[in-house]
Amino acid sequence: MRILGIETSCDETGVAIYDEEKGLIANQLYTQIAMHADYGGVVPELASRDHIRKTAPLIKAALEEANLTSDDIDGIAYTAGPGLVGALLVGSTVARSLAYAWGKPAVGVHHMEGHLLAPMLEKDRPDFPFIALLVSGGHTQIVRVDGVGKYEILGESIDDAAGEAFDKTGKLLGIDYPGGAELSRLAEKGSMDRFHFPRPMTDRPGLDFSFSGLKTFAANTINQILKEKGELSEQDRADVACAFQAAVIDTMIIKCRRALKQTGLKRLVIAGGVSANKPLRAGLEKLMQEFHGQVFYPQPQFCTDNGAMIAYVGFLRLKHGETSPLSIQVKPRWAMTELAAIEE
């Protein structure tokens, strides 16, 4: 079984082909970062228009990469939500139109389920059940995963997602959008001893997150430096970045430790764009040593939005007979707990 996957939830156009026997055999990705950087964030209308320009050429490129034709494709998967409604409509319209023209089944995939199961693309993959930390620009969640579609949200951010907080704090430090990755590089030059940022919501029980206050704390710290010195030096910027990143990572590690103790599980998955953060990975690997367990994560190319994760989840669901209707239906807001479970 070979599935073509299409991802257009935000500002990356991803197309991939997953083969049941060979695994991932094609993976094409186009990012719009350079275009949106001029505006300091994603402009939904521009994102949708660029998806229109890029999706068809990437589908052609993926088929050529795998040396296949449309006759060799058994089904099409596309991101149906959550995400930007215009961007989702582009991918779903292209996917449903191709499925109709080619006479193939199609299925709408949950974007975060794609991230959640992206580590399954690796040779070293986790067995169910496990705890998952989903951390990206739009979501921060801790999920108990007992199988495909068997998800229990244990905690989530009540305001900004971690990736969003990284980007906003990066902007405060004069870093162009998206600021998260550059903030992490800047933090490597910073001192851990100069500033101490709070670890929000760790002084109370529960597994929910809150990161908007850290962004405000960073702004106040920067303003205090400017008041005292008149300008931010490169070392000032690095020290603020270091303190901010340490606070976010410590908070996520504290919450993951609680989740592991609460559930008694010894396998942890981290996925989503922020899961590529090296200090976060190192901290969670150290955490799992406490539990004599193991942490799993996808390759960096599968941490950010991509078509491979959509093709893989589409394969799982199409293989078990799940399909989506011919009418175009997208869900900009869509809880993972609404997904149907797949019984093995």
Side-chain angles (χ1 to χ4, degrees):
M1 192 176 200
R2 297 189 190 97
I3 303 302
L4 175 73
I6 300 173
E7 154 63 20
T8 62
S9 66
C10 190
D11 59 342
E12 266 97 20
T13 312
V15 176
I17 300 173
Y18 184 85
D19 185 290
E20 182 175 8
E21 297 181 356
K22 299 178 181 178
L24 188 66
I25 57 175
N27 186 36
Q28 298 287 324
L29 183 69
Y30 175 80
T31 180
Q32 304 173 3
I33 285 177
M35 176 178 65
H36 295 294
D38 292 338
Y39 302 92
V42 177
V43 181
E45 176 65 21
L46 295 180
S48 302
R49 292 184 180 188
D50 217 37
H51 286 310
I52 292 172
R53 287 189 286 265
K54 301 299 181 183
T55 304
L58 287 179
I59 292 171
K60 182 180 179 181
L63 289 169
E64 290 177 351
E65 180 185 351
N67 195 27
L68 301 175
T69 69
S70 59
D71 292 336
D72 301 310
I73 300 299
D74 298 301
I76 300 175
Y78 59 93
T79 303
L84 302 175
V85 63
L88 292 170
L89 283 168
V90 174
S92 61
T93 300
V94 171
R96 285 295 343 173
S97 299
L98 282 181
Y100 181 77
W102 293 352
K104 312 291 184 180
V107 65
V109 170
H110 193 291
H111 178 75
M112 295 309 294
E113 184 176 39
H115 279 304
L116 177 68
L117 299 180
M120 299 297 186
L121 293 166
E122 310 298 331
K123 290 183 179 179
D124 184 18
R125 53 189 352 191
D127 294 324
F128 299 115
F130 57 78
I131 293 296
L133 173 64
L134 295 180
V135 55
S136 67
H139 299 81
T140 301
Q141 297 176 323
I142 293 180
V143 186
R144 177 180 174 128
V145 181
D146 289 297
V148 178
K150 300 176 183 179
Y151 310 131
E152 179 186 359
I153 307 299
L154 302 178
E156 58 190 337
S157 179
I158 62 173
D159 42 53
D160 289 356
E164 183 181 4
F166 263 95
D167 289 342
K168 288 180 177 178
T169 301
K171 189 172 184 179
L172 292 173
L173 291 169
I175 299 172
D176 291 337
Y177 172 86
E182 183 59 34
L183 186 149
S184 294
R185 286 190 284 270
L186 184 62
E188 294 175 4
K189 306 174 185 177
S191 168
M192 292 286 291
D193 301 324
R194 184 174 175 189
F195 301 114
H196 180 79
F197 282 33
R199 276 55 175 165
M201 297 186 71
T202 58
D203 58 349
R204 67 187 77 175
L207 297 173
D208 286 337
F209 299 91
S210 173
F211 294 112
S212 64
L214 279 178
K215 176 195 65 181
T216 303
F217 197 94
N220 291 338
T221 302
I222 291 168
N223 289 335
Q224 184 61 35
I225 296 171
L226 291 173
K227 183 178 179 181
E228 295 173 357
K229 301 172 61 176
E231 62 179 4
L232 283 180
S233 68
E234 188 65 14
Q235 191 60 52
D236 292 331
R237 295 172 68 244
D239 291 344
V240 172
C242 182
F244 170 82
Q245 177 174 259
V248 174
I249 290 175
D250 283 355
T251 299
M252 289 193 283
I253 290 173
I254 289 168
K255 297 291 186 172
C256 285
R257 179 183 286 111
R258 287 183 185 176
L260 292 164
K261 286 183 177 179
Q262 178 178 311
T263 60
L265 298 178
K266 296 184 181 295
R267 286 183 290 270
L268 176 67
V269 161
I270 54 171
V274 183
S275 69
N277 183 285
K278 292 180 180 178
L280 174 60
R281 290 190 175 197
L284 290 175
E285 286 176 354
K286 185 177 180 181
L287 170 66
M288 293 313 294
Q289 292 175 8
E290 296 179 23
F291 290 87
H292 304 287
Q294 190 174 0
V295 60
F296 301 84
Y297 37 74
Q299 298 175 45
Q301 64 176 321
F302 301 135
C303 290
T304 53
D305 295 350
N306 63 87
M309 65 185 191
I310 302 304
Y312 176 70
V313 174
F315 155 71
L316 294 176
R317 294 196 168 275
L318 284 166
K319 185 179 179 181
H320 285 80
E322 186 175 329
T323 60
S324 297
L326 183 61
S327 59
I328 308 300
Q329 298 177 354
V330 297
K331 300 180 180 180
R333 296 182 182 275
W334 189 9
M336 274 204 304
T337 51
E338 297 176 12
L339 295 173
I342 292 178
E343 299 297 339
E344 295 294 341

